[in-house]
């Protein structure tokens, strides 16, 4: 039996990068939930937030999450807030293995400023209080994130994640 793997954590925690690499190692397909939403809506995430608001976005996010086929050899990179709204975390835990990439707010800020990608609607680089915003959001989400099947603190790579997965869930991946 194979099961889907959900990557969760704050923005810039490595969900997409590590998720893509893990999918290659497992010979699974990779889905980025934010890209799935953008294709479905015909708009970038920033534009959805600006035009429709966060509540609309969160509803669409939950809808797209629940459209992903179950037990389909997929690694799914979730949006940072995906597990925190509606019954999404319960759904994730019922339908796969969840991996929380626990990266400190300091490190998240450093990664965001280094990458210079400014396409996160809740975490703009020009925000003078970016670290404070990241810390507050992290603190609000941490209890939900920590209910994941696997918690990986700090930097890691796909090979390490694969080793942990195979050790903890030998018959599911």
């Amino acid at each position: 039996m194979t099961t889907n793997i959900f990557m969760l954590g704050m923005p810039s925690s490595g969900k997409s990068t590590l998720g893509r690499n893990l999918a290659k190692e497992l010979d699974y397909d990779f889905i980025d939930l934010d890209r799935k939403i953008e294709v479905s809506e015909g708009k970038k995430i920033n534009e959805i937030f600006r035009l429709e608001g966060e509540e609309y976005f969160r509803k669409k996010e939950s809808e797209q999450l629940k459209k992903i086929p179950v037990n389909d050899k997929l690694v799914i990179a979730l949006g940072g807030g995906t597990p925190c709204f509606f019954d999404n975390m319960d759904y994730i835990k019922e339908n796969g293995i969840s991996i929380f990439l626990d990266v400190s707010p300091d490190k998240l800020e450093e990664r965001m400023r280094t990458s210079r990608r400014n396409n996160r609607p809740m975490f703009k680089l020009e925000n003078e209080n970016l670290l404070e915003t990241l810390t507050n959001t992290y603190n609000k989400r941490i209890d939900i994130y920590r209910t994941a099947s696997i918690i990986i603190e700090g930097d890691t790579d796909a090979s390490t994640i694969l080793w942990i997965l195979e050790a903890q869930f030998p018959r599911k991946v």
Side-chain angles (χ1 to χ4, degrees):
M1 177 181 153
T2 57
T3 190
N4 291 346
I5 299 167
F6 296 92
M7 308 294 290
L8 57 110
M10 291 287 290
S12 287
S13 62
K15 300 178 303 280
S16 294
T17 301
L18 290 169
R20 267 188 204 89
N21 294 340
L22 181 61
K24 284 179 191 167
E25 295 235 6
L26 287 167
D27 198 27
Y28 277 29
D29 289 323
F30 175 77
I31 293 176
D32 184 308
L33 186 61
D34 281 348
R35 298 300 81 74
K36 189 171 169 49
I37 296 164
E38 289 178 342
V39 168
S40 168
E41 292 294 302
K43 299 178 189 118
K44 295 286 186 189
I45 301 298
N46 272 339
E47 198 176 358
I48 298 168
F49 263 76
R50 187 173 42 81
L51 297 173
E52 308 292 344
E54 183 179 4
E55 186 176 333
Y56 175 89
F57 171 76
R58 296 299 178 191
K59 286 179 185 172
K60 294 301 171 185
E61 180 180 55
S62 187
E63 288 171 13
Q64 289 301 317
L65 171 67
K66 292 169 184 167
K67 287 182 180 180
I68 295 171
V70 178
N71 295 329
D72 206 33
K73 294 178 75 174
L74 299 171
V75 175
I76 303 107
L78 302 172
T82 306
C84 305
F85 293 88
F86 305 108
D87 63 343
N88 291 347
M89 192 61 186
D90 290 336
Y91 181 85
I92 291 162
K93 291 190 309 190
E94 289 167 11
N95 291 286
I97 299 168
S98 51
I99 300 173
F100 168 38
L101 301 174
D102 190 0
V103 177
S104 72
D106 290 354
K107 185 71 170 175
L108 295 170
E109 181 194 30
E110 179 186 317
R111 288 179 182 181
M112 286 180 181
R113 295 206 184 278
T114 301
S115 79
R116 306 211 35 90
R117 280 183 46 218
N118 202 16
N119 61 349
R120 294 174 175 87
M122 297 178 67
F123 305 102
K124 294 292 184 189
L125 295 179
E126 56 273 0
N127 177 358
E128 292 177 16
N129 301 316
L130 179 59
L131 178 57
E132 181 181 340
T133 302
L134 284 164
T135 301
N136 290 338
T137 304
Y138 176 90
N139 289 334
K140 286 178 191 169
R141 295 176 177 177
I142 190 67
D143 289 339
I144 294 169
Y145 287 160
R146 285 190 177 144
T147 66
S149 311
I150 296 171
I151 299 171
I152 298 176
E153 294 182 10
D155 291 333
T156 191
D157 58 33
S159 296
T160 302
I161 295 172
L162 180 59
W163 181 82
I164 293 167
L165 271 169
E166 288 175 341
Q168 289 192 19
F169 299 96
R171 285 182 229 110
K172 291 197 174 194
V173 293

